[in-house]
């Protein structure tokens, strides 16, 4: 399981220009059963993605394909988690 931090960079002002492509990238992540959740980092610091069903290498490639990353609107940091215990509603993450 992974947490991807997408923190705004100096090109933050270009986000609007690439928002539709970024949303399409997010949709593809959900459609391919890799993304579990996306959201904003508060206050206005960027975004976060909770991902699974992917190798680190494949996720790194996927993140590089995000238009926000490709256009240096955000910098990406991938944190890998080895879940050890979870609420029953999240037990699928333990497999």
């Amino acid at each position: 399981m992974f947490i991807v931090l997408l923190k705004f960079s100096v090109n933050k002002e270009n986000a609007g220009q690439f928002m539709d492509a970024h949303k399409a990238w997010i949709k593809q992540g959900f459609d391919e059963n890799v993304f579990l959740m996306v959201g904003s980092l508060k206050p206005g610091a960027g975004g976060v993605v909770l991902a699974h069903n992917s190798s680190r290498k494949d996720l790194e490639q996927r993140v590089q394909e995000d238009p926000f990353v490709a256009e240096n609107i955000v910098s990406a940091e991938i944190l890998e988690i080895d879940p050890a215990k979870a609420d029953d509603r999240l037990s699928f993450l333990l497999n």
Side-chain angles (χ1 to χ4, degrees):
M1 188 170 105
F2 303 91
I3 295 174
V4 182
L5 301 174
L6 302 171
K7 296 183 181 176
F8 281 123
S9 70
V10 295
N11 292 329
K12 177 182 178 179
E13 69 275 359
N14 295 333
Q17 181 181 352
F18 296 95
M19 185 59 74
D20 288 342
H22 176 67
K23 287 180 179 180
W25 174 80
I26 290 170
K27 181 182 181 316
Q28 181 179 7
F30 277 107
D31 289 348
E32 295 177 356
N33 199 30
V34 174
F35 294 171
L36 292 170
M37 186 272 310
V38 300
S40 297
L41 289 174
K42 299 291 182 184
V48 64
V49 178
L50 184 60
H52 76 140
N53 284 340
S54 180
S55 69
R56 184 177 186 101
K57 180 180 175 184
D58 289 346
L59 183 60
E60 288 171 351
Q61 178 63 40
R62 181 181 296 273
V63 167
Q64 291 305 309
E65 293 169 358
D66 176 4
F68 275 15
V69 173
E71 297 297 327
N72 196 29
I73 295 165
V74 297
S75 63
E77 179 181 4
I78 299 174
L79 305 173
E80 188 167 0
I81 301 169
D82 184 14
K85 185 172 175 77
D87 182 279
D88 288 343
R89 294 169 290 178
L90 299 175
S91 62
F92 68 96
L93 295 172
L94 300 175
N95 299 326

